[in-house]
């Protein structure tokens, strides 16, 4: 009975530390054999990451390129951020195509046919369609039976929230194969005359295939998820009405109708506050996720994989967690901050480059606009 209680607690996200408190009541619809079978499935289902992929635009923009039209230089950018290059959408390229390419690569690595995909989660805050792009990815992949596909918006934390959602759909919903795609084109929303922000961002897509497995092979060990709307003002791109003639001026009773054409403002960021926020909350979040996973301590995982926002943030978090640089995955120098794509992009490079091996345990964390932050402890393969 104790093992069943613990397994149920893990499914519903209860940490080991909290299991001494009153356990939730699990209500069965009936006492039939079918109900017992369903409960057995719930407590015996795990999930694991079995494939990954990524894609980036063809245009590479160097720090020297930026220095041609804004007051900056390679040394100024690289010493403050660690970034030397970024990829930016150009010509006929679009974000959805990058997401499709990354998803295809993840399926190929996992050796899973698109017809066997049960769910697609597109994590993005800058998609090609304001109503979402996940169904377009579903169609392009050739998925049969119209599997559910929808978008998740949580900026730089989006991918890890997608990973958590995938685990919930698998462990509690009976799904078998879930594609989690992180893709962003923040270059569309930066002011390319503002050297404080435009130097940081690039465009990319990354994806993983999360697959159901026996609980003994479960590879997603613990999560820690948070948001703080009070910090929203530090990183924001707000809705605004364009300046146009007011068509209702001749009829005072119709003031402000019809609505004017609208768009979103350039990204506005208080870099100092975001830095302080990240180096404060991320170590705490990773430690909390490790604790929930029963793996407390930096010696219980192989790799630290953070949202690739800024090398100084990555170094600061690693120092606080006492993780040596040789166990930190970083590709921010080559791609900059790619928002929801940064973690799966870095993971894919590390896997395909032979750095991350099957069985390695990774402590990952995302953080950014919202403000949101999330951590996950998982095993690769």
């Amino acid at each position: 009975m104790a093992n069943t209680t613990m397994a149920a607690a893990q499914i519903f996200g209860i940490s080991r530390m909290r299991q001494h408190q009153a356990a939730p009541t699990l209500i069965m619809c009936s006492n039939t054999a079918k109900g017992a079978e369903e409960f057995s499935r719930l407590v015996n289902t795990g999930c694991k990451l079995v494939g990954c992929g990524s894609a980036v635009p063809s245009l590479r923009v160097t720090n020297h390129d930026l220095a041609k039209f804004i007051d900056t230089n390679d040394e100024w950018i690289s010493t403050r951020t660690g970034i030397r290059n970024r990829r930016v959408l150009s010509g006929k390229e679009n974000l959805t195509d990058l997401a499709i390419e990354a998803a295809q690569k993840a399926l190929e690595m996992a050796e899973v046919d698109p017809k066997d995909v049960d769910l697609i989660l597109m994590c993005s805050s800058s998609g090609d369609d304001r109503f979402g792009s996940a169904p377009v990815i579903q169609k392009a992949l050739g998925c049969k039976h119209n599997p559910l596909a929808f978008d998740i918006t949580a900026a730089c934390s989006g991918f890890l929230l997608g990973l958590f959602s995938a685990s919930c759909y698998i462990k509690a919903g009976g799904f078998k194969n879930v594609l989690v795609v992180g893709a962003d084109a923040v270059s569309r929303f930066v002011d390319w005359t503002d050297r404080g922000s435009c130097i940081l961002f690039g465009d990319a897509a990354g994806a993983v295939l999360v697959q159901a497995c026996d609980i003994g092979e479960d590879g997603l060990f613990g999560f820690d998820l948070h948001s703080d709307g009070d910090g929203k003002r530090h990183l924001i791109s707000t809705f605004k009405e364009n300046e146009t003639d007011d068509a209702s001026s001749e009829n005072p009773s119709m003031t402000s109708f019809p609505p004017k054409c609208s768009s979103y403002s350039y990204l506005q960021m208080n870099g100092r506050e975001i830095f302080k926020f990240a180096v404060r909350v991320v170590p705490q979040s990773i430690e909390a996720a490790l604790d929930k996973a029963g793996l407390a301590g930096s010696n219980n995982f192989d790799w630290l994989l953070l949202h690739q926002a800024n090398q100084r943030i990555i170094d600061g978090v690693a120092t606080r967690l006492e993780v040596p640089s040789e166990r930190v995955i970083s590709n921010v120098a080559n791609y900059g901050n790619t928002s929801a794509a940064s973690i799966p992009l870095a993971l894919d490079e590390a896997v395909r480059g032979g750095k991350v091996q099957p069985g390695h345990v990774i402590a990952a964390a995302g953080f950014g606009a919202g403000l949101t932050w999330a951590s996950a402890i998982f095993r690769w393969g």
Side-chain angles (χ1 to χ4, degrees):
M1 182 65 180
N3 289 338
T4 301
T5 301
M6 178 170 289
Q10 290 172 335
I11 287 172
F12 291 96
I14 303 169
S15 73
R16 287 172 169 79
M17 289 191 65
R18 293 182 180 176
Q19 287 175 19
H20 69 278
Q21 300 176 2
T25 301
L26 301 180
I27 301 175
M28 307 292 287
C29 295
S30 70
N31 292 320
T32 65
K34 184 177 180 180
E37 181 181 344
E38 178 67 8
F39 179 74
S40 177
R41 181 190 64 76
L42 283 173
V43 299
N44 288 294
T45 298
C47 55
K48 58 184 179 179
L49 279 68
V50 295
C52 59
S54 62
V56 297
S58 58
L59 177 62
R60 182 170 69 105
V61 179
T62 69
N63 291 345
H64 296 293
D65 293 328
L66 294 179
K68 295 175 182 177
F69 61 91
I70 57 174
D71 182 18
T72 191
N73 56 66
D74 177 67
E75 181 183 7
W76 190 90
I77 298 173
S78 60
T79 56
R80 287 165 174 78
T81 69
I83 300 169
R84 293 189 178 277
N85 305 286
R86 71 283 296 146
R87 298 297 185 95
V88 176
L89 289 173
S90 62
K92 295 183 179 181
E93 292 177 327
N94 63 68
L95 187 64
T96 305
D97 285 345
L98 291 184
I100 293 167
E101 181 181 346
Q104 288 172 330
K105 291 178 179 177
L107 288 173
E108 290 169 3
M109 180 184 288
E111 298 182 344
V112 170
D113 193 290
K115 68 180 178 59
D116 294 323
V117 172
D118 302 305
L119 172 65
I120 298 173
L121 303 173
M122 170 65 160
C123 309
S124 180
S125 300
S126 54
D128 295 326
D129 188 327
R130 71 182 63 190
F131 294 126
S133 301
V136 179
I137 298 172
Q138 176 224 75
K139 178 182 178 181
L141 292 176
C143 300
K144 306 298 183 182
H145 314 301
N146 298 319
L148 178 63
F150 63 91
D151 288 46
I152 294 175
T153 301
C156 305
S157 304
F159 174 76
L160 290 184
L161 296 184
L163 192 61
F164 175 74
S165 298
S167 72
C168 292
Y169 276 98
I170 289 173
K171 293 184 178 183
F175 289 61
K176 302 296 184 183
N177 293 296
V178 179
L179 264 174
V180 183
V181 183
D184 267 311
V186 184
S187 67
R188 295 167 167 171
F189 300 103
V190 298
D191 179 354
W192 287 97
T193 66
D194 175 17
R195 74 169 187 171
S197 61
C198 75
I199 63 172
L200 298 172
F201 296 96
D203 307 331
V208 298
L209 194 285
V210 186
Q211 189 172 74
C213 63
D214 184 79
I215 191 65
E217 300 177 345
D218 188 20
L220 273 71
F221 303 137
F223 291 90
D224 184 67
L225 315 170
H226 297 277
S227 62
D228 177 13
D230 187 55
K232 174 185 176 181
R233 64 189 185 278
H234 299 313
L235 181 51
I236 194 170
S237 176
T238 55
F239 173 86
K240 67 175 184 178
E241 289 187 338
N242 294 335
E243 295 296 328
T244 60
D245 293 334
D246 190 348
S248 64
S249 59
E250 297 179 1
N251 187 349
S253 65
M254 296 291 287
T255 301
S256 300
F257 185 86
K260 299 176 182 178
C261 293
S262 59
S263 63
Y264 286 86
S265 68
Y266 285 132
L267 179 150
Q268 301 169 55
M269 182 178 67
N270 185 328
R272 185 182 299 275
E273 290 299 322
I274 293 298
F275 178 86
K276 291 193 297 183
F277 152 75
V279 296
R280 173 175 56 85
V281 304
V282 172
Q284 296 171 355
S285 181
I286 291 176
E287 288 172 344
L290 285 167
D291 191 53
K292 292 174 184 178
L295 297 171
S298 62
N299 292 326
N300 286 317
F301 60 88
D302 298 290
W303 299 102
L304 178 65
L305 173 55
L306 303 179
H307 164 50
Q308 306 288 293
N310 182 312
Q311 190 62 48
R312 291 176 59 211
I313 293 177
I314 295 171
D315 292 343
V317 172
T319 298
R320 294 198 179 197
L321 291 173
E322 298 182 345
V323 178
S325 59
E326 59 267 23
R327 288 172 48 207
V328 178
I329 297 172
S330 175
N331 66 356
V332 69
N334 294 324
Y335 301 106
N337 181 341
T338 57
S339 191
S342 75
I343 290 176
L345 171 62
L347 174 64
D348 185 50
E349 284 201 337
V351 169
R352 294 178 187 273
K355 180 178 290 187
V356 172
Q357 297 289 324
H360 282 180
V361 175
I362 298 170
F367 51 90
L371 296 171
T372 60
W373 63 102
S375 294
I377 312 301
F378 61 88
R379 180 176 58 228
W380 172 252

